[in-house]
Amino acid sequence: MANNDSHSGKRLTLKDVAAKADVSPITVSRVVNGYDGVRANVREKVEAAIAELGYIPNRSASVLASSKSKLIGVLIPSLSNVVFNDVLRGIYDIATPANYQVLLFNTHYSAAEEERAIRTLLGQSPEGLIITGGEQTTAAKAMLQASAVPVVQIMGEVDNPIDINVGFSHFDAGAAVAQLLLDKSYSKIGFIGARMDRRTCERLAGFEHVLSAANSLDKTRVITTPEPSSVSKGALLFRELMTITKGDCDAVFCCNDDLALGVLHESKKMQLKVPEKFGICGFNDIEMAAYAEPALSTVRVNRYNMGSKAMEVIFEKITSPGDKTTPIANYINTGFELVTRKSTR
Amino acid sequence: MANNDSHSGKRLTLKDVAAKADVSPITVSRVVNGYDGVRANVREKVEAAIAELGYIPNRSASVLASSKSKLIGVLIPSLSNVVFNDVLRGIYDIATPANYQVLLFNTHYSAAEEERAIRTLLGQSPEGLIITGGEQTTAAKAMLQASAVPVVQIMGEVDNPIDINVGFSHFDAGAAVAQLLLDKSYSKIGFIGARMDRRTCERLAGFEHVLSAANSLDKTRVITTPEPSSVSKGALLFRELMTITKGDCDAVFCCNDDLALGVLHESKKMQLKVPEKFGICGFNDIEMAAYAEPALSTVRVNRYNMGSKAMEVIFEKITSPGDKTTPIANYINTGFELVTRKSTR
DNA sequence: TTGTATGCGTTATCAC
DNA sequence: GTGATAACGCATACAA
């Protein structure tokens, strides 16, 4: 931290650069924004002045005057969940090269915090919004509708998309896992879940749906907690499952890999043979899943793609304003994939 | 996405609210900003108008007029590295309750990208900047100096802090690990590192320093790659280490836990007895470290604290402007801690 | 190709 | 306690 160098106090503006380069402010503006119609020698003169002065354009003024913000608002429910890392990477990898900025909010799985974030975000003329899931408050939805800003709801398949929806069906994914375990001849299948947000509940619903149809559903084998998930929580919940069912359980679907890794760890301590006597399936396919012993069966979801697709769709919307001839699909299914490894028969 | 409701097209401003509430725009502004000096009944009238119209203040205009942005710029080199999740959480947990926004940039370990990000950031009148390490370009450093914005360099101990430095000595940490392994009677100690950013290099330097002093340094046991680290990369590099040294190696320090987990996995495949015949020490103490088998010895660093402390220091600077009587320390050591588990004797 | 006038929506300042 | 006026720094629209 230090003082401003020469022009201490006052912030440098277009005018200062213009004076130095002996042109008008608007010409400087044109150079800054890379307009073609500026003579080469003038451009060079201006660029030299900018460099010499160390001029940095004031973005607030620019946004105010042009109402172009190059800003994308992103709302995710958690910063601890590694799942969102990949999603964010996908978003940034598309946004940054296009010179768009990302304003990220952590909503802590709270619709109220989300609404507050949406409000502040909307005050900054964002050119697009990426939000998680479809459980916004009605007030938030109304604001979004009224704003006319492209909105992408990511992660899950939502019921009435505000605008565009990029994700996959967690119900189907949960169902697929149940079917997989059934196919592997497990019959007393439990469920371990933490946090229990909307999408986790949907996975559970799909899972229960299939088990129920196969007459294999026993809800005492469903152990959940609203607390955040972790490896240690997985171990804890697994012990609970085994206590409650008195060990009458031969497989478990964990709502994410962290939990599953904890279950795996604990099952070894219990000397439970995985996968022969006990099958474990996780969710997300984090890198460690492949390196667990036995390697963890899980469900691969295209996290990075959800992020990059969301950004791409926003750019499509931005660049084809009101173009009704080439409608953009309002649901993009990023799918999922069962990954069977050694933790299931 | 939809049309604006009533006043379609035009965006709502203070003036609209003022008209509706039959007061002047400035009064609305006062209500919006929670000034005390507004009569209760006027305030209520204004608030009603705001609610009815669904008015959202334009932040660009506000920032332009007041040059108060409530914006903190954060620059991190990677979004894949889980280390930064915790740092970010620490930042957000302090910033958000104070109504500050966080504008996050991913610099991809590139000083050039970092400089670009700093430039755009500085254009938005941030009230504080949190940047990673001390390897900014000289141009970037100059801009930061000139800006008079509080700057916190986090993660490592940097040489000439631009302003404030929050982190710990990676050199010392690397040295401590070397000493630990030596103390456990390992003598042919290798190093496996990926990415090899500045802080990783410092850990290696500290490590080599101690080994060298103990006459145990053999640089052929140092295997590194500029590529990003991962569990699989750990396994790969470990095989390389064993090939190059023809197995003449009895311990390894991995520059992070992911790598170490990969080494652990691979050593089992090689039937190498850990920790008896081979010791492994990681870095960071991610949750999985404790759940590996054998559990991984590692170094705990206070990631969350680095983030929260950085924000706290910025707030101190903001709230005590130029207060020379209570100087803020320009280096805050967040420390580290050796965590010895079963992967070392 | 370059410049002039004007407005973007808010807040600071100073009246009332 | 409330209001009028003038910035804030830039970009749009148009003129030259």
Side-chain angles (χ1 to χ4, degrees):
Chain A
M1 186 165 170
N3 336 318
N4 295 7
D5 35 343
S6 36
H7 299 269
S8 77
K10 219 82 179 92
R11 176 179 180 153
L12 286 168
T13 73
L14 278 183
K15 232 174 272 182
D16 299 307
V17 179
K20 177 133 209 141
D22 205 36
V23 294
S24 77
I26 191 65
T27 301
V28 179
S29 170
R30 286 178 182 130
V31 171
V32 168
N33 295 303
Y35 273 90
D36 294 331
V38 177
R39 217 192 306 274
N41 62 325
V42 175
R43 166 179 304 276
E44 280 158 26
K45 208 169 48 174
V46 171
E47 277 167 350
I50 289 175
E52 191 173 338
L53 257 29
Y55 166 73
I56 296 175
N58 183 327
R59 214 142 162 296
S60 304
S62 164
V63 172
L64 180 60
S66 71
S67 57
K68 266 174 231 147
S69 66
K70 294 254 182 189
L71 212 217
I72 304 294
V74 175
L75 279 67
I76 60 174
S78 160
L79 277 174
S80 353
N81 193 334
V82 284
V83 163
F84 293 106
N85 278 258
D86 296 318
V87 175
L88 275 181
R89 259 197 319 120
I91 293 173
Y92 271 84
D93 282 0
I94 303 295
T96 307
N99 264 308
Y100 271 70
Q101 296 182 182
V102 176
L103 191 51
L104 176 66
F105 285 79
N106 179 359
T107 65
H108 299 99
Y109 291 97
S110 150
E113 274 198 56
E114 189 183 37
E115 181 183 323
R116 225 173 305 142
I118 288 174
R119 200 182 303 277
T120 22
L121 221 22
L122 251 20
Q124 328 199 26
S125 329
E127 296 185 30
L129 250 44
I130 298 176
I131 65 185
T132 305
E135 308 93 69
Q136 289 72 35
T137 64
T138 52
K141 283 184 178 165
M143 286 192 288
L144 293 173
Q145 300 278 8
S147 76
V149 172
V151 175
V152 181
Q153 291 166 293
I154 59 169
M155 302 310 290
E157 190 179 342
V158 308
D159 278 342
N160 293 302
I162 297 172
D163 187 3
I164 299 172
N165 181 201
V166 174
F168 65 96
S169 165
H170 290 253
F171 184 95
D172 289 354
V177 171
Q179 194 55 57
L180 170 75
L181 293 173
L182 248 19
D183 289 348
K184 302 284 185 187
S185 307
Y186 294 106
S187 58
K188 297 160 178 177
I189 311 174
F191 178 92
I192 285 180
R195 177 120 270 161
M196 302 313 291
D197 63 9
R198 176 61 181 269
R199 290 162 295 287
T200 305
C201 290
E202 285 172 1
R203 297 203 279 274
L204 174 55
F207 172 82
E208 289 185 332
H209 178 78
V210 166
L211 287 195
S212 176
N215 246 323
S216 300
L217 180 59
D218 180 346
K219 293 222 182 192
T220 61
R221 296 198 193 103
V222 174
I223 311 286
T224 68
T225 170
E227 289 170 49
S229 70
S230 63
V231 181
S232 64
K233 193 65 55 68
L236 199 76
L237 294 176
F238 181 59
R239 260 177 274 141
E240 198 177 316
L241 171 67
M242 284 321 216
T243 306
I244 287 180
T245 62
K246 301 191 177 73
D248 191 31
C249 186
D250 65 3
V252 67
F253 170 33
C254 299
C255 80
N256 67 44
D257 288 342
D258 286 331
L259 253 26
L261 255 13
V263 170
L264 195 54
H265 185 83
E266 198 62 24
S267 63
K268 276 185 219 169
K269 278 170 77 177
M270 291 185 183
Q271 317 237 14
L272 242 180
K273 280 202 158 174
V274 176
E276 298 82 359
K277 297 285 181 192
F278 196 82
I280 304 174
C281 184
F283 198 89
N284 281 337
D285 194 27
I286 65 174
E287 199 194 7
M288 261 314 287
Y291 288 90
E293 280 147 54
L296 193 64
S297 291
T298 183
V299 180
R300 179 175 304 150
V301 302
N302 302 303
R303 299 187 285 276
Y304 182 92
N305 276 350
M306 281 192 256
S308 58
K309 257 293 167 212
M311 270 309 312
E312 284 168 5
V313 173
I314 287 179
F315 282 153
E316 279 181 48
K317 278 246 169 186
I318 291 176
T319 52
S320 68
D323 187 350
K324 304 290 184 192
T325 58
T326 50
I328 293 160
N330 82 325
Y331 175 54
I332 294 169
N333 184 357
T334 54
F336 63 86
E337 190 185 340
L338 252 32
V339 182
T340 42
R341 298 203 182 94
K342 306 286 186 172
S343 70
T344 49
R345 287 174 194 146
Chain B
M1 183 164 172
N3 336 318
N4 294 6
D5 34 345
S6 37
H7 298 271
S8 78
K10 219 83 179 90
R11 178 181 177 153
L12 285 167
T13 73
L14 278 184
K15 234 173 268 181
D16 300 307
V17 179
K20 176 133 212 141
D22 206 36
V23 295
S24 78
I26 191 68
T27 300
V28 179
S29 171
R30 284 178 183 131
V31 172
V32 168
N33 295 303
Y35 272 91
D36 294 330
V38 177
R39 217 192 306 275
N41 61 325
V42 175
R43 167 180 304 275
E44 280 158 25
K45 208 170 48 175
V46 171
E47 276 167 350
I50 290 176
E52 191 173 337
L53 258 30
Y55 165 73
I56 295 174
N58 184 325
R59 218 144 156 291
S60 304
S62 165
V63 172
L64 180 60
S66 71
S67 58
K68 267 174 230 147
S69 67
K70 295 255 183 186
L71 212 217
I72 304 295
V74 175
L75 279 67
I76 60 173
S78 161
L79 277 174
S80 355
N81 194 335
V82 285
V83 164
F84 293 106
N85 278 258
D86 296 319
V87 175
L88 275 181
R89 258 196 322 121
I91 293 173
Y92 272 84
D93 282 0
I94 303 296
T96 307
N99 264 308
Y100 271 70
Q101 297 181 182
V102 176
L103 191 51
L104 175 67
F105 285 79
N106 178 0
T107 65
H108 299 99
Y109 291 97
S110 150
E113 274 197 57
E114 189 182 35
E115 181 183 322
R116 227 173 304 142
I118 288 174
R119 198 182 303 276
T120 21
L121 223 22
L122 250 20
Q124 329 199 25
S125 328
E127 296 186 29
L129 249 44
I130 298 177
I131 64 184
T132 305
E135 308 92 67
Q136 289 73 35
T137 64
T138 52
K141 283 185 177 164
M143 286 192 286
L144 292 172
Q145 300 278 9
S147 75
V149 172
V151 175
V152 181
Q153 291 167 292
I154 59 169
M155 303 309 289
E157 190 178 343
V158 306
D159 279 340
N160 294 302
I162 296 172
D163 187 4
I164 300 172
N165 182 201
V166 173
F168 65 96
S169 165
H170 290 252
F171 184 96
D172 290 355
V177 170
Q179 195 55 57
L180 170 75
L181 293 173
L182 248 19
D183 290 348
K184 302 283 184 186
S185 308
Y186 294 106
S187 57
K188 297 161 178 175
I189 312 174
F191 177 93
I192 285 180
R195 177 118 270 161
M196 302 313 290
D197 63 9
R198 176 60 180 270
R199 290 162 297 286
T200 305
C201 290
E202 285 171 2
R203 299 204 278 275
L204 173 56
F207 172 83
E208 289 186 333
H209 178 77
V210 167
L211 287 195
S212 176
N215 246 324
S216 299
L217 180 59
D218 180 345
K219 294 223 183 192
T220 61
R221 298 198 192 101
V222 173
I223 311 287
T224 68
T225 170
E227 288 171 48
S229 70
S230 62
V231 180
S232 65
K233 194 66 56 69
L236 198 77
L237 294 176
F238 181 59
R239 258 175 274 142
E240 198 177 317
L241 172 65
M242 285 321 214
T243 305
I244 287 181
T245 63
K246 300 191 178 72
D248 192 31
C249 185
D250 66 1
V252 68
F253 170 33
C254 300
C255 80
N256 66 44
D257 289 342
D258 285 331
L259 253 25
L261 255 13
V263 170
L264 195 53
H265 185 83
E266 198 63 24
S267 63
K268 276 185 220 169
K269 280 174 65 178
M270 290 185 184
Q271 317 237 14
L272 241 181
K273 280 201 158 176
V274 176
E276 299 81 359
K277 296 287 180 190
F278 196 81
I280 304 175
C281 184
F283 198 89
N284 281 337
D285 195 27
I286 63 174
E287 199 195 6
M288 262 313 289
Y291 288 89
E293 279 147 55
L296 194 63
S297 292
T298 183
V299 180
R300 179 174 305 149
V301 303
N302 303 302
R303 297 188 285 275
Y304 183 92
N305 276 351
M306 282 192 255
S308 59
K309 258 292 167 213
M311 269 310 311
E312 284 167 6
V313 173
I314 287 179
F315 282 153
E316 280 182 46
K317 279 246 168 184
I318 292 176
T319 54
S320 68
D323 186 352
K324 304 289 184 193
T325 57
T326 49
I328 294 160
N330 82 326
Y331 175 53
I332 293 169
N333 185 356
T334 54
F336 64 86
E337 190 187 338
L338 252 30
V339 181
T340 42
R341 299 204 181 93
K342 305 288 186 172
S343 71
T344 50
R345 286 174 196 146

